[in-house]
Amino acid sequence: MNSNHLSFFDTTLRDGEQSPGCSMTTQEKLTMAHALEDLGVDIIEAGFAMASEGDFAAIATITQAIRKPRIASLARAKSEDIEMAARALKFADRARIHVFLASSDLHLEYKLKIERAEALDLCGESVRLARSLCDDVEFSPEDATRSDREFLVEMVRIAVEAGATTINMPDTVGYTTPEEYGAMFREVRQRIPAIDEKGVILSSHCHDDLGLAVANSLAAVEAGARQVECTINGIGERAGNAALEEIAAALYVRADRYGITNNIKLDQLYPTSEVLGNLITFRPSPNKAVVGTNAFAHESGIHQHGVLANPLCYEIMTPQLVGVTKTHLVLGKHSGRAALRHRLEQLGFTVSREELQHVYYRFVALADRKKSIYDQDLVGLLPDHIRERRCEPVSELD
Ligand code: KIV
Ligand code: ZN
């Protein structure tokens, strides 16, 4: 029996931080960890203890300050890595050691230079060692989606027998497709009955090289995964990891399809994205789903008119749902009279139908020449008699 609850495993501080422009100091990681705790993530992967002194320090610091989420450290399938992870996690109320080992022939042959049999031994030994140090152990067969299926099943079976409590099957290079990824979860679960018998959680971990990371994660959830690994703003190696905010929003908006519970506080999505944007060197692109600056902006007249009449016409979720304070009506050459009137009223100018018509012609002429129309441009378009009638702005500007 599969539970109806999905855990969010956030790896912004490990897989995310590993990418260019995203490195953070221990203090910055702590700030981010507090934001992730407020957001309601279940597990924070705070770093890779063996990778550097900085990572070790960040993990140890986070375990002492963060209480609600479980804290994880990554470790290769090597005893020194696993022991180091356990040391960094010493003060955690609830810790997890996350062991990974490649399962694809490509990685075994060219990266690790070991045979399959040796990899299976290493898998069993390292999961057993990790379990002797921590009651919660995740095992990831790296490059699972490009691995020979028989070998992958064998490796997962050994990890489960050795005591792994979570099996994460990463699409390390963003190669798979939703149907294929979902099928892999169904097959592994069906061929290894011990997964369900022992209550082992299956987890997705997707990279976005083909822009499919979120779709693949959702396919895994439909196929029985009960943990998703993701990052804020989708930061991560190369094209990034699955974006947490997109998965959480999709599960909410399409609850009719997924019908699964989780602990994410949706109104913290945008504030958390902002915290990260202030810590690293870049922000999400403007058209990024859920948290981009244009995610709730409407420029065309038809859309603006619709949104003013009823936001549901062009918005599948309210900006407030994800913590954005307002829908943004951008004035440009595609805007219509309804949006112009709305903005003028916000600025404190009430206009008659005829006056609006007059101002609108001037506005369109200006918008043809200028990419962005600012409030001062609008005021500049108004004849004196309208400007003199100005009252206090009626509402907060968007
Ligand atoms: O992408 C990947 O395979 C990883 C593993 C270490 C889980 O990040
Ligand atoms: Zn990864």
Side-chain angles (χ1 to χ4, degrees):
M1 241 285 283
N2 214 6
S3 121
N4 202 32
H5 188 81
L6 181 70
S7 292
F8 274 77
F9 175 114
D10 182 277
T11 183
T12 304
L13 299 178
R14 199 280 298 168
D15 221 349
E17 204 244 3
Q18 216 160 282
S19 58
C22 295
S23 72
M24 289 174 242
T25 63
T26 295
Q27 204 46 46
E28 288 169 338
K29 281 189 164 191
L30 186 59
T31 303
M32 195 59 213
H34 279 294
L36 292 171
E37 183 172 38
D38 293 344
L39 176 63
V41 306
D42 303 275
I43 302 116
I44 295 177
E45 187 164 51
F48 184 172
M50 189 69 180
S52 68
E53 281 178 19
D55 259 37
F56 184 96
I59 298 167
T61 305
I62 289 170
T63 59
Q64 291 168 72
I66 302 292
R67 289 285 158 232
K68 278 191 240 147
R70 188 178 286 279
I71 310 297
S73 168
L74 187 67
R76 285 169 298 181
K78 290 173 179 254
S79 53
E80 53 280 27
D81 271 41
I82 294 168
E83 282 156 8
M84 188 71 95
R87 278 203 289 284
L89 292 165
K90 191 168 68 181
F91 295 111
D93 276 356
R94 295 178 313 128
R96 172 176 297 181
I97 299 180
H98 176 189
V99 180
F100 76 102
L101 174 65
S103 54
S104 69
D105 288 333
L106 199 64
H107 281 225
L108 292 180
E109 185 179 343
Y110 292 97
K111 192 182 76 173
L112 300 177
K113 302 190 186 344
I114 57 173
E115 297 293 327
R116 284 184 177 189
E118 196 181 337
L120 294 181
D121 288 346
L122 274 176
C123 166
E125 282 160 20
S126 54
V127 172
R128 263 189 300 280
L129 172 64
R131 263 313 290 267
S132 72
L133 300 168
C134 185
D135 61 359
D136 187 312
V137 171
E138 172 169 327
F139 177 74
S140 293
E142 191 191 12
D143 207 16
T145 52
R146 291 191 303 166
S147 301
D148 172 68
R149 188 58 57 81
E150 291 305 314
F151 184 66
L152 175 70
V153 169
E154 197 47 30
M155 190 178 262
V156 170
R157 196 190 309 279
I158 287 174
V160 170
E161 277 166 11
T165 46
T166 298
I167 294 291
N168 177 49
M169 295 193 282
D171 183 28
T172 304
V173 290
Y175 173 76
T176 199
T177 64
E179 219 181 20
E180 203 175 68
Y181 199 49
M184 184 177 84
F185 277 75
R186 285 194 187 87
E187 182 179 338
V188 169
R189 191 169 162 212
Q190 188 245 317
R191 290 182 60 185
I192 309 177
I195 290 176
D196 279 348
E197 285 159 16
K198 293 183 166 194
V200 172
I201 301 290
L202 291 183
S203 165
S204 71
H205 178 114
C206 299
H207 282 269
D208 211 25
D209 300 67
L210 294 175
L212 292 172
V214 170
N216 289 337
S217 307
L218 292 171
V221 171
E222 286 196 278
R226 287 299 173 262
Q227 173 179 288
V228 280
E229 301 199 354
C230 40
T231 60
I232 301 299
N233 297 344
I235 66 166
E237 287 282 4
R238 306 178 308 280
N241 287 57
L244 183 149
E245 57 279 357
E246 294 179 20
I247 298 175
L251 292 175
Y252 177 82
V253 171
R254 298 307 311 272
D256 58 325
R257 185 176 174 94
Y258 298 106
I260 194 152
T261 60
N262 65 77
N263 293 329
I264 296 297
K265 297 188 188 75
L266 295 171
D267 63 357
Q268 290 303 307
L269 288 174
Y270 183 69
T272 313
S273 160
E274 283 283 287
V275 171
L276 181 66
N278 287 329
L279 293 175
I280 62 175
T281 57
F282 59 93
R283 291 176 175 277
S285 64
N287 63 335
K288 161 88 176 59
V290 185
V291 294
T293 48
N294 287 351
F296 297 97
H298 306 274
E299 191 195 303
S300 93
I302 295 170
H303 286 211
Q304 290 181 337
H305 183 234
V307 164
L308 288 171
N310 183 343
L312 284 176
C313 291
Y314 287 103
E315 285 177 355
I316 55 169
M317 58 194 149
T318 65
Q320 290 81 358
L321 176 81
V322 298
V324 174
T325 41
K326 272 185 146 246
T327 298
H328 193 51
L329 297 183
V330 181
L331 291 180
K333 66 175 178 185
H334 303 112
S335 302
R337 290 169 188 75
L340 179 61
R341 181 194 286 282
H342 179 74
R343 180 57 131 227
L344 289 174
E345 281 172 1
Q346 286 184 317
L347 292 169
F349 301 104
T350 331
V351 286
S352 68
R353 257 175 87 102
E354 295 70 37
E355 286 168 342
L356 179 66
Q357 189 65 9
H358 172 74
V359 179
Y360 184 69
Y361 285 134
R362 303 185 70 186
F363 162 75
V364 172
L366 180 65
D368 250 344
R369 302 196 308 272
K370 220 170 166 268
K371 271 206 173 70
S372 309
I373 306 287
Y374 298 104
D375 291 341
Q376 56 271 36
D377 298 319
L378 278 188
V379 177
L381 293 176
L382 300 175
D384 287 348
H385 71 278
I386 299 181
R387 261 191 265 179
E388 280 155 18
R389 286 204 316 255
R390 182 168 191 250
C391 44
E392 276 308 295
V394 289
S395 66
E396 190 195 327
L397 297 182
D398 55 25

